[in-house]
Amino acid sequence: MKKILFIFHQPTTNPGPVAKLLRQRGYELDIRVTGEGDPLPPTMDEHVAAISFGGRMSANDSENLPFIRQELDWISTVLISGKPFFGICLGAQLLARVLGAKVVKHSLDIREIGYHPVTPTSVGSKYFDSDLSFYHWNSEGFEIPSGAIKLASGDLFENQAFSYGKNVYGVQFHPEMALETLSGWIDITDPETEKLLMSPGGQLWAEQMQNHLNYAPLVEDWLDNFFSIWLEEESEESSVAFNKSKI
C-alpha cells in the first residue's frame, strides 16, 4: 500500500477529513509526532507524499524547540525528492521559511480565529472556484516565497495559500478541522482563550460551531478536489534548489 507521511507537532492533532479522504483513496498513513521525539525519515523512498500539520508553536521557534529545527532541516529531503508536499498552517509556515520567506505576526497584533473567507487569485482559480470560508487559528502569517505562486488571499492575513513547483503547497488555514476537535476545544476552554475569541479577528464558540456546520461539507469537497490535483502531479521535475542558509 502507498504510504503518505503525516507530520504532527503535538499528539493531540486530529487529521480529520484529511486522513479520511486519503484512506478512502487507498493510502496508508505513517504518522510521526515530532514534538514527542519521533524521527523523520532520512529519505522519501518509502513514502509517496508528505503532509505537515499545524501546532501551537511558532515556525520561528527553531532556536528553542529542537523538533522545529529538525523539520526545517528535513523539508529539503522531500523537496529534492520531487514527492508532493502539503503544509497546513504551521507546516506551511515552516515550508515558507525553508524557501527563504519570513513568518511574522500581524502588524496590528490581530489573530485569525474561526471561519474566515479565502479568496482565490486568478491563478488560484484552478484550486478555488470561488470564495470559501476555512477554519483558522493563528497569530502569525507567511510571506510568499520567491519563486512561489500566490493562490489565495484573506482579509486579516493577506497570504492564504501558495504553490511551489508542481506539487508543493502551503495553506494558512485548517482544512482538517473536524467537529470532534472543535467540540473538544469548547469543552476545555479557559478565560484567556475566551478573551482571544472576543478580540479582533476572533469568533465566539457558538459562531464557530454554526460556521463549522455550514462550511465543513464544502471544505471537505474542496479538500477532495485538491487531493486529486496534488497527488496526480507527482513528478521528478518538481525537484527544487534553495539556499538552506536562509533559515
Side-chain angles (χ1 to χ4, degrees), residues 106-145:
H106 193 283
S107 60
L108 300 178
D109 198 29
I110 291 175
R111 289 167 173 78
E112 193 172 34
I113 303 173
Y115 277 87
H116 293 276
V118 168
T119 301
T121 63
S122 58
V123 178
S125 61
K126 174 181 177 181
Y127 308 91
F128 308 83
D129 55 12
S130 62
D131 289 15
L132 180 60
S133 289
F134 290 88
Y135 194 84
H136 298 75
W137 193 303
N138 56 272
S139 61
E140 295 181 319
F142 51 72
E143 296 178 344
I144 301 297

Side-chain angles (χ1 to χ4, degrees), residues 115 179 182 206-218:
Y115 277 87
L179 180 61
L182 189 55
E207 183 180 2
Q208 290 189 43
M209 183 63 76
Q210 185 58 55
N211 284 338
H212 182 79
L213 297 175
N214 292 339
Y215 295 120
L218 300 175

Side-chain angles (χ1 to χ4, degrees), residues 58-60 72 89-90 92-106 139-146 157 159 162 172 246-247:
S58 169
N60 297 315
L72 287 168
C89 198
L90 175 60
Q93 293 168 359
L94 290 167
L95 171 64
R97 283 202 60 199
V98 169
L99 296 175
K102 293 181 179 179
V103 173
V104 296
K105 290 186 178 295
H106 193 283
S139 61
E140 295 181 319
F142 51 72
E143 296 178 344
I144 301 297
S146 176
F157 281 78
N159 298 323
F162 68 89
Q172 178 80 352
K246 293 179 180 179
I247 58 169

